[in-house]
């Protein structure tokens, strides 16, 4: 730096030396970059160049002064030399300025600016311009770098291989993204020029290289763009299908330079296409008809077999629904069920008759499934048809054969039942009269005759019972019940039956139940008792002296199953090996002398063996002649979740004195059972026949009840609807509502609780459970002074007080009704009266009220539970389930239900013929009924709301004389104010009368 300039900077700016000057200039440069004001920033940015220009001027001035001083002293030669030197320096400076000017113009051109003129070629101007151009160039480079980052991010997100490469084989790459490693297994760097490690062209299948080159060459000569599919080889040896789409890049001279393009992996699509072609070929060649529709059910495709089978071409029924193939209304309803099922995403299968184009009807088994896209959305439905004409014909033959067989069995059973009835009637007279005669004054000979007559008559009755049981077993009509029981109760009855006979022969009878067998079981206690009665009776019969011992032991317990062994041991005459081999065969005894000495048919042990095997158990005997016998029974039984108390003593009786209960139940029989049970323990019971009447009771202020027992399935307003309405009123928040229904499923229980019900009990009603549940919710309403908790002796149920009804567990009925024989008789009579026309009522409901039909079956299932009709429950459950799934279609379940219902009605009818007095009391007041019908008809014609009251008065008169379903339909239409429908229902009711 010039010394004068340095002194001035030190004097005015305190810059001590050149290092200080340099430091300050760097600070000025940094400040220029941070200042937002452009003029100030330009001033500071050019300050260094200004200072350099000033320094250069100072030095030039010093040289000029020195030169002037010396010119006076030097010679002319020296002056000439100095001038030449100065001229050279000036030329060198001008060249430097020219070079700087050319550089500035190149920068201007790179930034898209016009070239500078010579007038702008000053050193100072060029220095300032160069600083500005360099700054702009840096900014442009930064922007370019940012664009490159964005470009690489964009390319990285493209699901394919992006490249720029050579046009000719082997196609070295100027650029290729990292997706190439996913596609080929080789790193992207190995494909880049100039040092190519792996040639992309070498990976292309040799068979496909010609196609690739041909496609690129066509692009060179035509539109520059191209698309081609070919195969490449992965590093693992796997073959990958790819789709390459690219474009020829040309220079300004329109000469081809590069290939730019994208390569997509289409291996999965190719495989899917192959599978689709295979599937399409399979459907086309399928030997059964196939149909495909859209989600609206409109036909889009038929395979050739479909056209051959039905005669319709695709052109004829495209856009139609499959309903075009259905001839009958019932089958149309079946197809409507398809969409209900398929809308839930389920498959659907059913046998339906179809109509061909020719009008021919054929049976088809149809299977319909949804077709989903990758997202799981249903896009189409496919239906597959299987011709089942031969199967249906075979089924019809089998059905007829089965009906013939059933009819034959029924005739046999009816004959045996009638024979039993005809024989039992005089046998009862013989036994009874003999018993009465033995109580009179007789001489020794007469007493001997009558005693032998009585014994013979009882033996004959026993033989008759064995023959009937054996015939049932032979016809496979003997059913094992699954009811809770206690072995203790079975053994107590066994002892009471045989203790006197044992004492008469001087024998000791011991019955032992192991301590670890004190639990409730699930099974047929009556049949187990029958087996033990036979074995113990035989043991007493064939034992002249000593003892008979019955022992029950627990062999094994697994989860809810127990393995029991029952042993019946005697000290009797014993058996040989040959006798044991014949022992369990029908009509066989030890030998002919046994029959002569002891009597019997030889059926008892055969029946025992069959009964044990029906319970999936085993029976066998161990014996030696003259040393007695031991009969063993091995049974696996389920433990019952329900605790059954012993028959002898119950716990404290739960009284409900003072409790006010609103019973909401439409079935008269169920009403009476609940009313009798509850009133018997002190409760005050009000009855509502449906939810609408219950709401009427609740409108009374103050509230007339402490608790509601709510049936679920009722006409007019059912239990669910009534509960919703009750819970919508905050006044009834604390009112307990207990559901009563024949549904025992956990989901139904949860539904009741979700609706706001407080608790849930199942039908048939168990008295103790009912009392305990009511007390649980209204314990504070029970009058304390009236609660009785002393143990009560429960008398054994006298089954003989009721007629013996085949297929009905009368013991269970009496236990459920607390031994109330009169109530039991009345309930059986009510059942006979209400359901005598049950099949016809059901068929009518099926046509007019699908929900009512389901409700009717549900109601009769509950009644059957109360009356011990377990076989009726078993056939009602599948019928109810069928009606729930397919409303209005009873399917194949109704025939079995109707058969059992009619059998139960026949059994009850034979056992309970209403007495003349009852017939007199049940006489219909036809005059009053006629007046009420006339009054109701007039009110309905006038659309008068008073028709509701008249309807209920009419219903009271007709209950028991007209099917409840007919009365319910009339009530529903009136309560819904559908007076036109009510008039039609009233006319139907008059026809019934």
């Amino acid at each position: 730096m010039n010394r004068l300039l340095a002194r001035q900077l030190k004097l005015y700016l305190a810059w001590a030396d050149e290092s200080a000057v340099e430091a300050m200039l760097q600070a000025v440069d940094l400040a220029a970059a941070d200042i937002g004001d452009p003029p100030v920033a330009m001033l500071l940015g050019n300050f260094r160049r200004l200072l350099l220009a000033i320094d250069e001027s100072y030095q030039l001035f010093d040289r000029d002064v020195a030169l002037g001083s010396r010119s006076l002293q030097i010679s002319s030669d020296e002056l000439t030399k100095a001038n030449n030197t100065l001229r050279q320096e000036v030329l060198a400076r001008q060249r430097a300025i020219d070079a700087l000017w050319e550089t500035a113009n190149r920068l201007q051109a790179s930034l898209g600016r016009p070239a500078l003129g010579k007038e702008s070629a000053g050193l100072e101007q060029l220095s300032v311009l160069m600083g500005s151009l360099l700054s702009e160039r840096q900014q442009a480079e930064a922007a370019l770098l940012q664009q490159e980052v964005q470009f690489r991010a964009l390319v990285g997100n493209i699901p394919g291989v992006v490249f720029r490469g050579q046009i000719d084989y082997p196609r070295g790459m100027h650029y290729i993204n990292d997706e190439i490693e996913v596609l080929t297994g080789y790193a992207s760097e190995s494909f880049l020029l100039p040092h190519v490690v792996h040639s992309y062209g070498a990976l292309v299948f040799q068979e496909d290289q010609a196609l690739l080159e041909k496609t690129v060459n066509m692009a060179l000569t035509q539109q520059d763009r191209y698309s081609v599919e070919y195969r490449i080889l992965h590093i693992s040896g796997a073959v990958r299908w790819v789709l390459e789409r690219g474009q020829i890049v040309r220079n300004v001279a329109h000469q081809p330079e590069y290939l730019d393009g994208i390569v997509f992996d289409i291996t999965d699509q190719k495989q899917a296409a192959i599978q689709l072609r295979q599937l399409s070929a399979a459907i086309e060649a399928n030997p059964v008809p196939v149909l495909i529709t859209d989600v609206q059910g409109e036909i889009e495709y038929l395979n050739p077999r479909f056209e051959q089978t039905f005669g319709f071409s695709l052109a004829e029924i495209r856009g139609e629904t499959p309903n075009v193939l259905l001839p009958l209304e019932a089958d149309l309803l079946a197809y409507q069920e398809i969409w209900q099922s398929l809308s839930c995403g389920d498959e659907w299968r059913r046998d339906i008759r179809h109509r061909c184009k020719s009008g021919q009807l054929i049976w088809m088994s149809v299977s319909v499934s949804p077709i989903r896209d990758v997202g799981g959305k249903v896009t189409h439905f496919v239906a597959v048809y299987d011709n089942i004409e031969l199967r249906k014909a075979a089924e019809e033959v089998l059905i007829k054969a089965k009906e013939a067989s059933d009819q034959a069995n029924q005739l046999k059973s009816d004959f045996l039942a009638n024979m039993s009835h005809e024989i039992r009637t005089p046998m009862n007279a013989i036994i009874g009269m003999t018993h009465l005669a033995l109580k009179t004054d007789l001489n020794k000979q007469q007493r001997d005759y009558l005693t032998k007559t009585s014994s013979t008559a009882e033996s004959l009755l026993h033989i008759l019972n064995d023959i009937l049981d054996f015939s049932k077993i032979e016809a496979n009509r003997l059913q094992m019940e699954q009811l809770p029981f206690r072995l203790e109760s079975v053994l107590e009855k066994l002892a009471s039956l045989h203790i006197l006979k044992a004492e008469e022969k001087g024998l000791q009878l011991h019955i032992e139940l192991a301590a670890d067998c004190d639990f409730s079981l699930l099974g047929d206690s009556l049949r187990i008792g029958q087996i033990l009665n036979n074995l113990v009776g035989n043991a007493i019969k064939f034992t002249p002296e000593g003892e008979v011992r019955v022992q029950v032991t627990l062999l094994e317990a697994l989860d809810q199953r127990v393995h029991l062994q029952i042993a019946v041991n005697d000290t009797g005459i014993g058996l040989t090996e040959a006798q044991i081999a014949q022992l369990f065969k029908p009509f066989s005894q030890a030998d002919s002398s046994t029959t002569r000495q002891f009597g019997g048919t030889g059926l008892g042990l055969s029946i025992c063996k069959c009964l044990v095997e029906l319970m999936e158990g085993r029976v066998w005997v161990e014996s030696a002649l003259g040393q007695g016998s031991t009969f063993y029974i091995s049974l696996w039984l389920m433990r019952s979740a329900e605790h059954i108390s012993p028959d002898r003593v119950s716990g404290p009786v739960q009284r409900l004195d003072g409790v006010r209960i609103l019973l909401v139940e439409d079935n008269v029989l169920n009403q009476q059972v609940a009313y009798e049970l509850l009133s018997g323990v002190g409760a005050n019971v009000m009855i509502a026949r449906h939810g609408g009447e219950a709401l009427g009771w609740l409108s009374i202020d103050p509230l007339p009840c402490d608790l509601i027992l709510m049936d679920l399935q009722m006409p007019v307003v059912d239990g669910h609807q009534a509960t919703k309405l009750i819970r919508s009123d905050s006044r009834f928040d604390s009112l307990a509502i207990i559901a009563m229904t024949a549904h025992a499923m956990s989901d139904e229980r949860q539904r009741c609780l979700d609706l706001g019900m407080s608790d849930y009990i199942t039908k048939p009603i168990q008295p103790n459970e009912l009392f305990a549940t009511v007390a649980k919710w209204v314990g504070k309403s029970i009058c304390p002074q009236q609660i009785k908790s002393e143990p009560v002796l429960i008398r054994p149920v006298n089954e003989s007080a009721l007629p013996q009804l085949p297929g009905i567990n009368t013991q269970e009925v009496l236990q459920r009704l607390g031994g109330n024989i009169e109530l039991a008789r009345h309930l059986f009579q009510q059942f006979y009266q209400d359901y005598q026309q049950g099949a016809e009522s059901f068929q009518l409901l099926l046509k007019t009220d699908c929900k009512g039909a389901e409700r009717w079956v549900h109601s009769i299932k509950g009644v059957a539970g109360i009356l011990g009709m377990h076989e009726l429950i078993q056939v009602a459950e599948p019928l109810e389930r069928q009606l729930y799934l397919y409303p209005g279609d009873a399917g194949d379940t109704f025939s079995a239900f109707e058969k059992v219902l009619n059998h139960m009605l026949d059994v009850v009818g034979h056992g309970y013929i209403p007495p003349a007095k009852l017939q007199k009391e049940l006489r219909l007041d036809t005059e009053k009924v006629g007046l009420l019908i006339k009054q109701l008809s007039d009110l309905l014609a006038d659309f008068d709301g008073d028709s509701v009251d008249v309807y209920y008065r009419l219903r009271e008169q007709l209950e028991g004389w007209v099917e409840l379903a007919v009365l319910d339909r009339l009530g529903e239409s009136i309560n819904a104010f559908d007076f036109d429908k009510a008039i039609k229902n009233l006319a139907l009711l008059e026809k019934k009368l």
Side-chain angles (χ1 to χ4, degrees):
M1 180 178 291
N2 185 272
R3 288 195 302 272
L4 178 59
L5 178 59
R7 283 198 302 272
Q8 290 175 341
L9 292 175
K10 182 177 182 181
L11 176 64
Y12 294 104
L13 299 178
W15 292 355
D17 51 25
E18 290 189 12
S19 61
V21 172
E22 180 60 28
M24 291 304 296
L25 289 176
Q26 290 180 1
V28 169
D29 291 340
L30 291 174
D34 295 334
I35 291 177
D37 190 349
V40 176
M42 180 173 288
L43 173 63
L44 295 177
N46 294 324
F47 184 74
R48 177 186 292 272
R49 290 192 290 275
L50 176 62
L51 193 60
L52 291 175
I54 294 172
D55 179 62
E56 185 178 355
S57 299
Y58 269 89
Q59 295 206 15
L60 182 60
F61 175 77
D62 286 345
R63 284 197 298 273
D64 289 344
V65 171
L67 183 60
S69 299
R70 289 185 60 192
S71 62
L72 298 175
Q73 300 173 6
I74 60 176
S75 63
S76 59
D77 292 337
E78 290 177 342
L79 183 60
T80 301
K81 184 178 179 181
N83 286 334
N84 290 334
T85 300
L86 183 60
R87 190 180 300 110
Q88 291 296 326
E89 289 179 356
V90 171
L91 291 174
R93 179 180 178 184
Q94 187 60 46
R95 285 195 297 271
I97 291 173
D98 291 342
L100 187 60
W101 178 77
E102 291 178 358
T103 302
N105 273 333
R106 284 197 296 272
L107 287 174
Q108 286 279 95
S110 67
L111 294 173
R113 295 182 178 180
L116 299 173
K118 284 293 184 178
E119 66 277 4
S120 302
L123 181 61
E124 294 80 0
Q125 291 176 309
L126 290 176
S127 297
V128 172
L129 180 61
M130 286 296 292
S132 175
L133 291 176
L134 287 172
S135 177
E136 291 184 25
R137 178 64 177 267
Q138 290 173 351
Q139 293 175 359
E141 289 177 349
L144 185 62
L145 181 61
Q146 180 66 24
Q147 291 176 357
E148 182 181 356
V149 171
Q150 294 175 349
F151 170 76
R152 290 185 179 275
L154 177 63
V155 170
N157 292 329
I158 295 176
V161 178
V162 180
F163 69 89
R164 166 170 281 189
Q166 294 175 330
I167 296 175
D168 298 327
Y169 186 87
R171 299 186 66 178
M173 297 295 174
H174 297 285
Y175 170 81
I176 193 165
N177 68 350
D178 293 336
E179 284 294 313
I180 190 66
E181 187 169 356
V182 177
L183 182 63
T184 66
Y186 298 106
S188 57
E189 295 82 1
S190 63
F191 294 92
L192 296 177
L193 295 166
H195 305 294
V196 177
V197 178
H198 297 103
S199 165
Y200 181 81
L203 300 180
V204 178
F205 254 57
Q206 186 173 0
E207 294 87 343
D208 297 341
Q209 285 181 356
L211 173 63
L212 179 59
E213 291 180 6
K214 178 182 178 182
T215 303
V216 173
N217 289 334
M218 288 179 63
L220 286 170
T221 59
Q222 296 178 5
Q223 297 179 352
D224 287 349
R225 295 181 182 274
Y226 66 94
S227 178
V228 60
E229 294 179 5
Y230 56 88
R231 292 165 295 174
I232 63 172
L233 197 64
H234 188 270
I235 190 174
S236 64
V239 177
R240 312 291 296 180
W241 272 98
V242 297
L243 168 64
E244 181 179 323
R245 289 180 176 171
Q247 180 174 349
I248 308 296
V249 178
R250 301 177 183 273
N251 58 21
V252 294
H254 204 65
Q255 297 297 319
E257 288 192 351
Y258 315 110
L259 279 180
D260 285 351
I262 302 178
V263 178
F264 297 101
D265 187 347
I266 60 170
T267 305
D268 293 340
Q269 293 92 314
K270 278 287 185 180
Q271 292 175 349
I274 293 171
Q275 292 175 355
L276 183 61
R277 285 195 298 271
Q278 292 172 342
L279 179 61
S280 177
I283 292 176
E284 288 288 319
N286 204 311
V288 298
V290 178
L291 173 148
I292 297 177
T293 74
D294 60 16
V295 290
Q296 282 76 38
E298 295 181 358
I299 297 172
E300 292 187 353
Y301 170 80
L302 311 172
N303 73 339
R305 177 61 67 178
F306 188 98
E307 296 183 4
Q308 295 170 12
T309 302
F310 293 103
F312 291 102
S313 67
L314 180 59
E316 290 175 305
I317 58 174
R318 185 193 295 273
E320 298 284 347
T321 65
N323 292 351
V324 72
L325 304 171
L326 301 179
L328 301 175
E329 182 180 353
D331 292 333
L332 287 171
L333 290 174
Y335 253 105
Q336 291 173 5
E337 297 170 14
I338 294 180
W339 303 112
Q340 295 177 1
S341 178
L342 294 178
S343 61
C344 300
D346 301 328
E347 294 184 358
W348 185 90
R349 178 185 293 275
R350 190 157 181 177
D351 296 346
I352 306 178
R353 282 179 300 172
H354 287 69
R355 178 179 60 84
C356 298
K357 185 177 180 180
S358 63
Q360 178 189 1
L361 295 179
I362 56 175
W363 274 101
M364 286 285 180
S365 177
V366 187
S367 176
V368 184
S369 304
I371 301 175
R372 304 176 185 273
D373 59 18
V374 292
K377 181 181 179 181
V378 176
T379 61
H380 292 81
F381 296 104
V382 58
V384 179
Y385 297 78
D386 186 15
N387 191 322
I388 56 172
E389 280 289 311
L390 293 177
R391 193 187 84 189
K392 281 292 180 179
E395 286 179 359
E396 187 173 353
V397 171
L398 289 174
I399 289 172
K400 289 180 179 179
K402 184 178 183 300
E403 288 175 351
S405 175
D406 290 343
Q407 185 177 11
N409 285 330
Q410 184 64 45
L411 290 172
K412 176 183 176 183
S413 299
D414 292 342
F415 169 75
L416 289 171
N418 292 331
M419 183 186 73
S420 170
H421 180 73
E422 295 299 327
I423 295 176
R424 282 174 184 273
T425 301
M427 285 299 301
N428 285 333
I430 293 170
I431 293 171
M433 293 300 178
T434 305
H435 178 72
L436 293 173
L438 285 169
K439 290 183 177 182
T440 63
D441 294 332
L442 301 170
N443 60 36
K444 185 176 180 181
Q445 186 179 20
Q446 289 171 331
R447 184 170 297 279
D448 180 57
Y449 289 163
L450 289 174
T451 300
K452 290 178 178 177
T453 300
S454 177
S455 175
T456 304
E458 289 187 4
S459 297
L460 182 59
L461 191 61
H462 182 74
I463 291 170
L464 179 63
N465 290 334
D466 282 349
I467 292 173
L468 288 173
D469 277 343
F470 182 75
S471 67
K472 288 181 181 179
I473 293 171
E474 191 179 42
N476 291 322
R477 295 188 61 188
L478 194 63
Q479 301 293 325
M480 293 290 108
E481 294 181 335
Q482 294 295 314
L483 298 172
F485 72 96
R486 292 179 65 86
L487 266 178
E488 184 179 357
S489 300
V490 175
L491 296 178
E492 286 174 1
K493 292 176 184 176
L494 179 70
S496 65
L497 287 172
H498 296 281
I499 189 68
L500 291 177
K501 292 182 181 179
E503 289 178 353
E504 288 174 359
K505 293 190 66 174
L507 303 176
Q508 293 185 354
L509 176 61
H510 301 285
I511 299 179
E512 302 171 1
L513 177 66
D516 55 359
C517 294
D518 184 23
F519 39 65
S520 300
L521 296 171
L522 202 62
D524 195 328
S525 60
L526 294 178
R527 293 301 178 184
I528 293 175
Q530 180 181 350
I531 295 167
L532 294 178
N533 283 332
N534 189 287
L535 294 179
V536 173
N538 284 345
I540 294 173
K541 183 191 298 184
F542 296 110
T543 302
E545 60 180 2
E547 67 174 21
V548 174
R549 186 177 298 272
V550 180
Q551 293 177 304
V552 182
T553 55
L554 176 66
L555 298 181
E556 191 176 2
L558 296 174
D559 296 330
Q560 295 301 312
R561 300 178 70 220
V562 293
H563 188 189
L564 298 178
Q565 179 173 285
I566 305 174
V568 179
N569 174 262
D570 64 62
T571 57
I573 60 176
L575 298 165
T576 65
E577 290 294 331
Q579 290 171 336
I580 291 174
Q582 300 293 322
L583 200 58
F584 291 104
K585 295 181 179 180
F587 306 103
S588 297
Q589 291 193 329
D591 54 38
S592 59
S593 64
T594 302
T595 305
R596 291 193 299 271
Q597 182 178 354
F598 297 101
T601 60
L603 285 174
L605 289 177
S606 174
I607 293 171
C608 287
K609 182 174 185 293
C610 292
L611 292 176
V612 171
E613 290 175 350
L614 282 173
M615 290 185 275
E616 298 181 356
R618 189 168 69 94
V619 60
W620 71 98
V621 62
E622 295 177 0
S623 180
L625 189 62
Q627 298 181 19
S629 305
T630 302
F631 285 80
Y632 293 96
I633 301 170
S634 174
L635 288 175
W636 277 97
L637 295 173
M638 295 295 295
R639 296 188 65 163
S640 173
E642 179 181 351
H643 177 69
I644 307 297
S645 300
D647 292 340
R648 294 167 304 169
V649 179
S650 73
V653 173
Q654 177 63 63
R655 300 286 300 177
L656 299 174
D657 298 282
V659 177
R660 301 170 303 163
I661 297 174
L662 176 58
L663 172 64
V664 189
E665 169 65 67
D666 65 309
N667 186 278
V668 177
L669 191 147
N670 289 337
Q671 287 176 5
Q672 186 167 3
V673 171
Y675 181 87
E676 295 283 350
L677 290 175
L678 292 167
S679 60
V681 291
N684 299 319
V685 183
M686 298 160 285
I687 295 178
R689 288 168 292 189
H690 54 74
E693 290 188 3
L695 295 172
W697 278 104
L698 295 180
S699 65
I700 299 173
D701 191 15
L703 196 64
C705 62
D706 304 310
L707 175 141
I708 299 176
L709 289 174
M710 182 77 74
D711 187 28
L712 296 185
Q713 295 201 9
M714 297 179 291
V716 187
V717 178
D718 66 20
H720 299 109
Q721 295 168 329
T723 302
K724 284 183 180 179
L725 293 170
I726 294 170
R727 288 306 185 213
S728 66
D729 191 331
S730 59
R731 293 178 300 162
F732 307 126
D733 288 348
S734 60
L735 180 62
I737 304 175
I738 299 175
M740 295 192 309
T741 181
H743 282 300
M745 302 303 289
S746 60
D747 57 346
E748 180 65 25
R749 174 184 177 86
Q750 189 59 46
R751 183 186 177 194
C752 292
L753 298 178
D754 292 342
L755 282 172
M757 294 187 180
S758 310
D759 215 326
Y760 182 104
I761 57 177
T762 57
K763 298 176 184 176
I765 296 170
Q766 299 294 333
N768 290 337
E769 180 188 0
L770 174 64
F771 303 153
T773 304
V774 172
K776 170 184 173 183
W777 292 99
V778 294
K780 294 181 180 179
S781 300
I782 301 173
C783 299
Q785 69 274 15
Q786 298 181 22
I787 296 178
K788 300 176 183 179
S789 58
E790 297 83 2
V792 175
L793 183 66
I794 303 298
R795 296 177 181 176
V797 174
N798 183 10
E799 292 182 67
S800 63
L802 292 177
Q804 295 301 308
L805 305 177
I808 297 177
N809 191 333
T810 52
Q811 178 189 16
E812 177 188 328
V813 176
L814 285 175
Q815 287 179 341
R816 181 168 288 116
L817 300 179
N820 191 332
I821 296 172
E822 288 303 318
L823 176 59
R825 286 175 178 165
H826 181 77
L827 294 179
F828 279 116
Q829 291 169 349
Q830 186 75 44
F831 170 81
Y832 184 78
Q833 183 178 337
D834 288 349
Y835 296 105
Q836 208 166 14
Q837 304 298 323
E840 293 81 355
S841 300
F842 175 78
Q843 292 292 355
L844 184 61
L845 282 172
L846 207 61
K847 296 176 181 177
T848 59
D849 184 2
C850 297
K851 200 66 181 175
E854 181 189 349
R855 190 166 58 243
W856 185 87
V857 176
H858 179 82
S859 177
I860 202 172
K861 186 176 73 172
V863 169
I866 293 173
L867 296 181
M869 300 175 179
H870 298 286
E871 188 177 3
L872 185 56
I873 295 174
Q874 291 173 0
V875 294
E877 286 177 345
L879 177 57
E880 183 183 11
R881 185 164 54 252
Q882 169 76 13
L883 293 173
Y884 174 77
L885 295 173
Y886 305 103
D889 181 6
D892 299 332
T893 58
F894 178 67
S895 58
F897 172 82
E898 182 182 21
K899 183 177 180 181
V900 175
L901 175 60
N902 290 336
H903 177 62
M904 289 292 102
L905 289 167
D906 185 55
V907 168
V908 173
H910 279 81
Y912 292 95
I913 300 174
K917 181 180 177 182
L918 181 62
Q919 293 290 341
K920 183 178 180 181
E921 290 176 354
L922 292 177
R923 189 171 297 158
L924 180 65
D925 189 345
T926 55
E927 182 178 355
K928 186 174 182 180
V929 168
L931 290 174
L932 288 172
I933 290 176
K934 176 67 170 60
Q935 184 181 1
L936 180 58
S937 179
D938 293 341
L939 291 171
L940 291 174
D942 294 336
F943 301 98
D944 195 326
D946 290 340
S947 58
V948 176
D949 295 331
V950 177
Y951 158 72
Y952 284 117
R953 286 160 54 197
L954 177 63
R955 181 182 180 115
E956 289 178 0
Q957 294 294 320
L958 293 179
E959 280 186 350
W961 294 96
V962 178
E963 298 96 322
L964 289 176
V966 177
L967 294 172
D968 288 343
R969 284 197 302 278
L970 176 59
E972 288 175 5
S973 55
I974 293 175
N975 281 281
F977 300 104
D978 188 348
F979 294 107
D980 292 334
K981 186 176 181 181
I983 291 172
K984 294 179 182 178
N985 288 332
L986 182 60
L988 180 63
L989 184 146
E990 287 187 87
K991 290 181 181 179
K992 292 289 183 180
L993 295 174

